[in-house]
Amino acid sequence: MTVSRVLRNRGDVSAATREKVLTAAKTLGYVPNKIAGGLASQRVNLVAVVIPSLSNLVFPDVLGGISAELDDTGLQPVIGVTNYSPAREEMVLYEMLSWRPSGVILAGVEHSKASRAMLANAGIPVIEIMDIDGEAIDTLVGISHIRAGREMAARIVEAGYRRIGFVGTHMPEDHRARKRLVGFEEGLAEAGLQLEAREYYQGGSSLLKGRELTERILTRAPDLDFLYYSNDMIGAGGLLYCLEAGYEIPNRIGLAGFNGVDLLDGLPVRLTTTDARRVEIGRRAARLVAGKDAMPPDRLIALAPTFIPGDTIRAPAGSARN
Amino acid sequence: MTVSRVLRNRGDVSAATREKVLTAAKTLGYVPNKIAGGLASQRVNLVAVVIPSLSNLVFPDVLGGISAELDDTGLQPVIGVTNYSPAREEMVLYEMLSWRPSGVILAGVEHSKASRAMLANAGIPVIEIMDIDGEAIDTLVGISHIRAGREMAARIVEAGYRRIGFVGTHMPEDHRARKRLVGFEEGLAEAGLQLEAREYYQGGSSLLKGRELTERILTRAPDLDFLYYSNDMIGAGGLLYCLEAGYEIPNRIGLAGFNGVDLLDGLPVRLTTTDARRVEIGRRAARLVAGKDAMPPDRLIALAPTFIPGDTIRAPAGSARN
DNA sequence: TGTAAGTTAGTTATCACTAACAAGAGGAAC
DNA sequence: GTTCCTCTTGTTAGTGATAACTAACTTACA
């Protein structure tokens, strides 16, 4: 018992015995058994973090925000990856909840019925992140992707572009990309426009795919004057293609992506995009789980997607804006 | 007890009671408590995976390999991130070992004395990955970065370049980058050459940094005819700079990076690099931990770093090779 | 000197499971 | 009908820590 007190810094132990315990622990190489500890105390310092993918560039940023805020709380993130599969998400959640974490942070608002039930019954904070267009299980932290799409449409229209194409994933499970497109089309519709062409692809995003799809869509619809990409990676690929093909950017054609990944900062031309506030989302979610921030009364923390002009969109018509 | 048997698929239970248990569990939303289970059985289906960074592009690939192989084993990876800090690594390991995982996979061979002691005493498989230039705690799976650097030097010399510069991180804790440089200089020395210039940077790698450093080194030493970068990301930045600055590649100047990240595949010109065999390393490590492969008798699985010619190095002198 | 209060260390029961063994039911063999 | 076996289910005793309480020892002050 005294050992337990020393190693947890809880309760009063004389300096002498504390020292003895500590040296004994060190010489024996003793590592306390958190399994037993967790069972006895019914408290576990783990936070389950469930995301669709690690190779996406986007999620490492979120994780960075989470672990930065968790760092001084004694809580530890445990990462689970679903590969965008609801069935896998369900398995991962079951597995994680069986360790009785003290909170769950998971991406997206679309979950299987069983997953929702599990989470609702777990009796711990459940923070759904990235996306706020949907019904919360407990609390949402993120941006509206519908709004992000809509705002980008407004900017594009405002800048005078009229013949607009879209290039994006055809992943039925990438709900956020889908919502951006919905919002984008709504935004265009408000200006009396509609998409002139679309090009979809399967699988992961890469510069190469962005190139290929851009070539394809511009071959099919050569008079397009703007391309909206579902993320920065394929947008950057498209940008490289257009530069090489000699398109005058942003006058002959404009381009925009989504995410605001700073990895691509050194490209010859800065791609117009929307910052998805990834790090901030991670931070806020972690603060809630850690109890640093109070739960918002309306179960929602909505951040604003931030437009980043870059160099691939014209200044708005009739403005002197850079 | 019967419930336990049903949910673990262990021992004989009649189909009827199995069914009853299952439906009861489902209606109650019962999630077994792995904490208690682990304590009782002294077995835990977790594998600790400790890596320096998630934003590095490199480690997600390794994790992909690990989780692919662990997928059908019932084992679950638990990821810990050290930010290249030995002190943090020690903390993360302590934390993870206190959950009594059934194996540990960790990047690199450089660890604090305390970390090594903990791992050696844990009584579980410990696989150090990525780097094999060092002393194993238990088993190593990776490539020799010294060799990778040396081989790249040989290729560059063979292609006829003579005035060679290096651009890389100045992170004392990035041992693998350091070893590549050591090997590279050894390789040059064998040909009677030495580095004409070096440019170091701090912090993460990005295209932008690659650009800036390349400009700087070429300003300082304009007659360089080859640049070796410590990774593909800054190499790609350098490539973009050189293209814009109008250098004729690969004749006026050649470039090479390291890693073989396919993210950059769509660049205008393919960067010469070395494939670090990341996915394979993850797979092999996971297979060892899962017991799919027997532990190698010499405690070492050495993979060969693979030269990827790309477009930024000349064909070897006197060869008709592409 | 005695007693209350404050410190420090130790006891006991509990956490939710599983290993190992025990026991009951049913059937087959003799 | 008894014995033996198989199949299924139940019992008991840990598992290694912590919560909550108890005991011993000090100190302070009347």
Side-chain angles (χ1 to χ4, degrees):
Chain A
M1 193 61 225
T2 301
V3 171
S4 169
R5 278 195 269 257
V6 170
L7 294 179
R8 286 182 303 149
N9 269 323
R10 208 175 297 277
D12 295 322
V13 182
S14 71
T17 42
R18 147 169 269 104
E19 209 49 50
K20 270 201 288 185
V21 169
L22 251 26
T23 56
K26 181 146 284 180
T27 59
L28 293 173
Y30 172 76
V31 178
N33 186 331
K34 291 227 176 188
I35 299 179
L39 184 59
S41 66
Q42 307 287 7
R43 266 182 282 102
V44 165
N45 69 337
L46 301 176
V47 175
V49 180
V50 177
I51 56 178
S53 156
L54 274 174
S55 47
N56 196 314
L57 284 191
V58 164
F59 298 105
D61 284 341
V62 179
L63 294 177
I66 291 174
S67 76
E69 286 292 345
L70 251 35
D71 219 28
D72 56 350
T73 64
L75 291 172
Q76 258 236 327
V78 179
I79 300 161
V81 178
T82 68
N83 294 323
Y84 289 98
S85 146
R88 251 191 106 76
E89 180 180 78
E90 201 173 308
M91 283 176 45
V92 169
L93 279 173
Y94 187 77
E95 190 72 20
M96 294 203 146
L97 289 179
S98 72
W99 287 100
R100 303 290 189 267
S102 48
V104 178
I105 297 175
L106 77 171
V109 293
E110 282 81 10
H111 313 290
S112 76
K113 218 176 144 200
S115 296
R116 293 181 69 91
M118 262 191 283
L119 290 167
N121 293 332
I124 53 177
V126 175
I127 317 290
E128 294 164 274
I129 58 170
M130 317 289 291
D131 184 2
I132 60 172
D133 299 318
E135 194 65 37
I137 296 171
D138 175 358
T139 301
L140 299 178
V141 176
I143 65 171
S144 163
H145 287 256
I146 293 178
R147 172 176 162 192
R150 188 191 290 261
E151 289 185 358
M152 183 58 84
R155 299 276 185 171
I156 292 169
V157 170
E158 186 190 14
Y161 298 97
R162 290 295 176 270
R163 293 179 306 283
I164 297 159
F166 173 81
V167 178
T169 35
H170 185 60
M171 268 210 265
E173 297 300 348
D174 189 343
H175 300 283
R176 290 179 287 287
R178 183 174 49 70
K179 288 173 187 171
R180 286 197 296 279
L181 177 54
V182 167
F184 190 70
E185 295 198 72
E186 285 176 12
L188 292 183
E190 277 170 25
L193 296 175
Q194 60 181 40
L195 280 179
E196 304 251 322
R198 308 145 184 268
E199 197 69 50
Y200 291 103
Y201 66 98
Q202 310 253 337
S205 307
S206 68
L207 293 176
L208 194 56
K209 222 169 260 175
R211 247 174 212 284
E212 293 168 356
L213 291 162
T214 304
E215 176 164 21
R216 200 177 310 161
I217 198 171
L218 287 176
T219 305
R220 277 204 299 122
D223 62 339
L224 292 177
D225 65 1
F226 203 97
L227 291 173
Y228 183 42
Y229 292 86
S230 72
N231 65 60
D232 285 350
M233 205 64 199
I234 53 165
L239 172 56
L240 291 172
Y241 171 81
C242 289
L243 287 172
E244 278 171 43
Y247 285 90
E248 192 202 343
I249 298 172
N251 284 320
R252 165 64 184 83
I253 195 164
L255 307 166
F258 178 85
N259 269 331
V261 299
D262 42 47
L263 197 75
L264 298 170
D265 269 357
L267 286 180
V269 172
R270 280 173 310 147
L271 182 67
T272 299
T273 189
T274 305
D275 178 4
R277 314 290 303 278
R278 299 181 301 285
V279 177
E280 179 72 4
I281 286 173
R283 294 197 101 100
R284 299 297 288 270
R287 294 183 66 84
L288 290 178
V289 167
K292 285 180 175 180
D293 291 347
M295 289 288 177
D298 51 355
R299 326 195 121 206
L300 172 67
I301 294 182
L303 303 177
T306 310
F307 177 72
I308 299 178
D311 307 318
T312 63
I313 190 170
R314 284 195 292 260
S319 102
R321 180 143 50 138
N322 174 28
Chain B
M1 194 59 225
T2 301
V3 171
S4 169
R5 277 194 269 256
V6 170
L7 295 178
R8 287 183 301 149
N9 268 323
R10 208 175 296 278
D12 294 323
V13 181
S14 72
T17 41
R18 148 170 268 104
E19 208 50 48
K20 270 200 288 187
V21 169
L22 252 26
T23 57
K26 180 146 283 180
T27 59
L28 293 173
Y30 173 74
V31 178
N33 187 330
K34 291 227 178 190
I35 299 179
L39 183 59
S41 68
Q42 306 287 18
R43 264 182 283 104
V44 165
N45 69 337
L46 301 175
V47 175
V49 180
V50 178
I51 57 178
S53 155
L54 274 173
S55 48
N56 195 314
L57 286 190
V58 163
F59 298 105
D61 284 342
V62 179
L63 294 178
I66 291 173
S67 76
E69 286 292 345
L70 251 35
D71 218 27
D72 56 349
T73 64
L75 291 172
Q76 260 235 328
V78 179
I79 301 160
V81 178
T82 68
N83 294 324
Y84 290 97
S85 147
R88 250 192 106 77
E89 179 179 80
E90 202 173 308
M91 283 177 43
V92 168
L93 279 172
Y94 186 78
E95 189 73 19
M96 294 203 147
L97 289 179
S98 73
W99 288 100
R100 303 290 188 265
S102 47
V104 179
I105 297 175
L106 77 170
V109 294
E110 282 81 10
H111 314 289
S112 75
K113 218 176 147 200
S115 296
R116 293 181 68 91
M118 263 192 281
L119 290 167
N121 292 332
I124 53 178
V126 175
I127 318 291
E128 293 165 273
I129 58 170
M130 315 290 290
D131 185 1
I132 60 170
D133 298 317
E135 194 66 37
I137 296 172
D138 174 0
T139 301
L140 299 178
V141 176
I143 64 171
S144 164
H145 287 256
I146 294 179
R147 173 177 161 190
R150 187 190 291 261
E151 288 186 357
M152 183 58 85
R155 299 276 187 172
I156 292 169
V157 170
E158 186 189 15
Y161 298 98
R162 289 296 176 269
R163 294 180 304 282
I164 298 159
F166 173 80
V167 178
T169 36
H170 185 61
M171 269 209 264
E173 297 300 347
D174 189 344
H175 301 282
R176 290 178 287 286
R178 183 175 49 72
K179 288 173 187 173
R180 287 196 297 277
L181 177 54
V182 167
F184 190 70
E185 295 199 73
E186 284 176 14
L188 292 182
E190 278 170 24
L193 296 175
Q194 59 182 40
L195 279 178
E196 304 253 322
R198 308 144 184 268
E199 198 68 51
Y200 292 103
Y201 67 97
Q202 309 253 337
S205 308
S206 68
L207 293 175
L208 194 58
K209 222 168 260 174
R211 247 173 211 284
E212 294 168 355
L213 292 161
T214 304
E215 177 165 20
R216 198 176 312 159
I217 199 172
L218 288 176
T219 305
R220 277 204 299 122
D223 62 338
L224 292 177
D225 65 1
F226 203 96
L227 291 173
Y228 183 42
Y229 292 86
S230 73
N231 64 60
D232 285 350
M233 204 65 197
I234 52 166
L239 172 55
L240 290 172
Y241 171 81
C242 289
L243 287 172
E244 278 171 42
Y247 285 90
E248 192 203 342
I249 297 172
N251 284 320
R252 164 65 185 84
I253 194 164
L255 306 167
F258 179 85
N259 268 333
V261 300
D262 42 49
L263 197 77
L264 297 171
D265 269 357
L267 287 180
V269 172
R270 281 173 311 149
L271 181 68
T272 299
T273 190
T274 305
D275 178 4
R277 313 291 303 278
R278 301 181 300 284
V279 177
E280 179 72 4
I281 286 173
R283 294 196 101 100
R284 299 295 289 271
R287 293 183 65 85
L288 290 179
V289 167
K292 284 179 174 181
D293 291 348
M295 288 287 177
D298 50 356
R299 326 193 121 204
L300 173 66
I301 294 182
L303 302 177
T306 311
F307 177 71
I308 300 179
D311 306 319
T312 63
I313 189 171
R314 284 196 292 261
S319 101
R321 183 147 45 140
N322 171 30

